């Protein structure tokens, strides 16, 4: 019997998503119940976004789609191990970049599988999809015409790609401290197509940016803060990179154990306070609980909540 994508996904309207889910369920049937529950809670708008993401991810994956689906299984396993540590000790396992570099970033094989899995969480974890929608529908949509865009740590490239294909954007730049990440972003953008506008991707450590650097209208910092040893220093640095009316988009997960997460925030309000304390005023903040849970459950049981914050220098 061949694997069906699910009665929850309309195969005629969402063929990319249906094809992706067929591959995922064939490779890892154990994830089916969780994922079906996730799709059962998705709105019509969510399905439109999921179809678009599935199309982009299938393009990026090419013949490696099966391997990438295995990467999702890998990420679930390693996150579960960290979750057990977090429940026992009430903190993340690692505290220094040196440890994360030695155990995670420096292990090419491990990192490859981890990055593969992260690509699919954009679809499978509703909080990740919600952050993507908030970024695109609120942050980018309200950017001024001809905006200069910088993303730090663009990783999978799905956010930077939105700015790149936005006809209202001016310059589009991406900075990352990791050569491998820059390569991953470049490959993804090349495969998805750059529509005439070329992004500038630069190997650049945020902490080492000179004071006289160019300033930006839009600055994206998605799922980076929790990886840092000095998050406060990073936020202050980000502020210095904005034009006076520029806007920062931060996406940071709360109570979110992972092998390379160092900075533990215990409530979404703590995330907002951290941004404010670095000299920003908050334009808007929205919080999204982990997949298949309500906000009440997430707060009560200290489960992951993604905090998305749009802020301006004050
Ligand atoms: C988990 S990835 C984020 C991927 C993507 N933005 C997302 O939303 O999923 C974190 C990225 O931040 C980069 N990064 C970490 N510390 C950095 C620093 N000090 N300067 C620039 N990039 C940094 C890492 O190399 C990595 O590519």
């Amino acid at each position: 019997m061949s694997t069906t994508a699910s009665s929850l996904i309309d195969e005629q309207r969402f063929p990319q998503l249906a094809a992706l889910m067929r591959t995922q369920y064939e490779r890892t049937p154990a994830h089916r119940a969780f994922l079906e529950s996730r799709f059962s809670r998705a709105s019509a708008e969510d399905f439109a976004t999921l179809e678009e993401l599935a199309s982009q991810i299938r393009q990026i994956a090419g013949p490696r789609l099966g391997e990438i689906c295995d990467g999702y299984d890998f990420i679930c396993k390693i996150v579960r191990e960290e979750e057990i540590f977090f429940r026992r000790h009430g903190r993340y396992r690692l505290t220094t970049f040196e440890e994360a570099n030695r155990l995670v970033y420096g292990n090419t094989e491990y990192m490859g599988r981890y990055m593969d899995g992260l690509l699919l969480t954009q679809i499978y974890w509703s909080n990740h999809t919600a952050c993507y929608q908030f970024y695109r529908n609120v942050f980018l949509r309200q950017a001024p015409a001809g905006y200069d865009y910088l993303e730090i740590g663009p990783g999978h490239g799905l956010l930077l790609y939105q700015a790149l294909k936005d006809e209202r954007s001016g310059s589009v730049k991406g900075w990352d401290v990791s050569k491998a990440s820059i390569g991953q972003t470049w490959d993804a953008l090349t495969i998805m197509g750059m529509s005439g506008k070329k992004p500038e991707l630069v190997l650049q450590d945020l902490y080492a940016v000179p004071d006289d650097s160019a300033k930006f209208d839009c600055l994206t910092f998605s799922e980076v803060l929790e990886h840092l040893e000095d998050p406060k220093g990073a936020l202050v640095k980000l502020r210095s990179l904005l034009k006076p009316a520029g806007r920062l988009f931060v996406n940071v997960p709360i109570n979110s154990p992972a092998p390379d997460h160092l900075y533990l925030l215990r409530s979404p309000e703590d995330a907002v306070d951290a941004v404010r304390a670095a000299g920003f005023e908050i334009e808007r903040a929205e919080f999204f609980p982990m997949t298949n849970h309500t906000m009440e459950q997430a707060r009560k049981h200290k489960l992951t909540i993604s905090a998305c914050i749009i802020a301006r220098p004050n």
Side-chain angles (χ1 to χ4, degrees), residues 115 118 122 151-156 159 175-178 181 204-207 222-224 227-228 251:
M115 299 316 281
L118 265 185
Q122 306 308 308
E151 179 165 355
I152 296 175
H156 46 63
L159 300 185
W175 293 350
D176 201 294
V177 73
S178 147
S181 287
Q204 173 70 61
D205 181 350
L206 170 64
Y207 295 107
S222 173
E223 302 246 350
V224 184
H227 296 264
L228 304 179
N251 166 15

Side-chain angles (χ1 to χ4, degrees), residues 77-149:
K77 283 189 177 130
I78 59 178
V79 165
R80 198 173 307 127
E81 279 173 29
E82 298 310 313
E83 181 71 33
I84 291 167
F85 183 94
F86 180 60
R87 295 289 148 197
R88 280 199 186 130
H89 303 279
R91 64 174 177 86
Y92 294 164
R93 190 194 301 268
L94 304 189
T95 51
T96 67
F97 177 78
E98 190 281 316
E99 287 173 300
N101 200 28
R102 183 163 41 82
L103 298 169
V104 183
Y105 305 131
N107 184 338
T108 312
E109 200 259 35
Y110 184 101
M111 267 310 273
R113 297 167 78 195
Y114 189 9
M115 299 316 281
D116 283 350
L118 265 185
L119 198 53
L120 285 173
T121 65
Q122 306 308 308
I123 292 179
Y124 299 168
W125 294 356
S126 60
N127 50 320
H128 283 193
T129 314
C131 292
Y132 175 84
Q133 288 170 318
F134 181 75
Y135 159 83
R136 195 182 52 178
N137 300 343
V138 182
F139 180 63
L140 276 195
R141 203 162 282 165
Q142 289 171 13
Y147 61 87
D148 291 319
Y149 177 95

